Amino acid sequence: MRPYLKFLSELAENNHKDWMDANKSWYQDTRKEFLADVEVLLKNLSEIEPAFSSFQAKNCVFRQNRDIRFSANKNPYKTNFAAYFSPKGKKSEGPGWYLHIQPGQSFYGGGIWMPMSDTLKKIRKEIDYSGAELDGILNEPEFKGMFPELEGEKLKTSPREYEADHPYIEFLRLKSFVVSHPVADKDVNSGNFIHQALHGFRTMHPFLQFLERAVEEVEDGSGIL
């Protein structure tokens, strides 16, 4: 049994430094197990993307502390465990795979979330040139069954560079290009989420390859957070 959900549930109810200090060993043990699971994911992902063979889990896992400087929510800790796998690193503008563990809200997914303006323009240009290819990827039966639609905000109108009757205007209106699939708590507790996520990551690989091709010119260092 994985300890993640029990720990995160307790943290959500006691989101303050005194509780975390008193439960430091529990947190460290739980995080250590999550890092071990992320290592398994990395090892398997390296068969798809060789760059991951040199990655360490700690470089893919997000910190538990929240940045509360500009947030109305002053809780100091995140109430989830999460990891992001991108061949060019966690802070890259390029596409990647994402794993999110949280009681009742766990999921795996991938793509590019809210890219910066230059990157967004690149993706839209690729859609303009190769929208039929993206449409084919998204409607491949296994992909469609696992990831029914692209998620995220859309423009209310068409981007100024494209006509409203463009055949792929719905793709062009997107501000993010991501897909996700939920994971049940029982699959987190049993550890089965690892197998599920790997299957999902492999299924979405053509989607990420399309996005990578679109943004590869941006990945020269410009636009990186």
Side-chain angles (χ1 to χ4, degrees), residues 189-218:
N189 287 331
S190 68
N192 193 46
F193 74 93
I194 298 175
H195 171 75
Q196 293 177 344
L198 284 170
H199 180 62
F201 289 166
R202 292 188 180 100
T203 301
M204 75 176 72
H205 189 220
F207 172 58
L208 268 63
Q209 287 179 306
F210 180 93
L211 294 174
E212 179 64 32
R213 188 176 76 223
V215 305
E216 58 186 3
E217 293 181 34
V218 176

Side-chain angles (χ1 to χ4, degrees), residues 65-117:
N65 294 74
R66 296 181 61 251
D67 184 349
I68 62 174
R69 293 174 297 172
F70 309 107
S71 175
N73 179 0
K74 297 303 180 182
N75 288 334
Y77 305 109
K78 299 170 186 172
T79 55
N80 65 79
F81 290 136
Y84 185 65
F85 309 90
S86 177
K88 293 183 172 67
K90 191 166 60 177
K91 294 185 178 181
S92 169
E93 270 274 278
W97 294 272
Y98 178 72
L99 175 66
H100 184 99
I101 300 296
Q102 185 174 2
Q105 300 180 55
S106 301
F107 66 92
Y108 55 83
I112 297 180
W113 176 256
M114 295 297 287
M116 296 179 71
S117 178

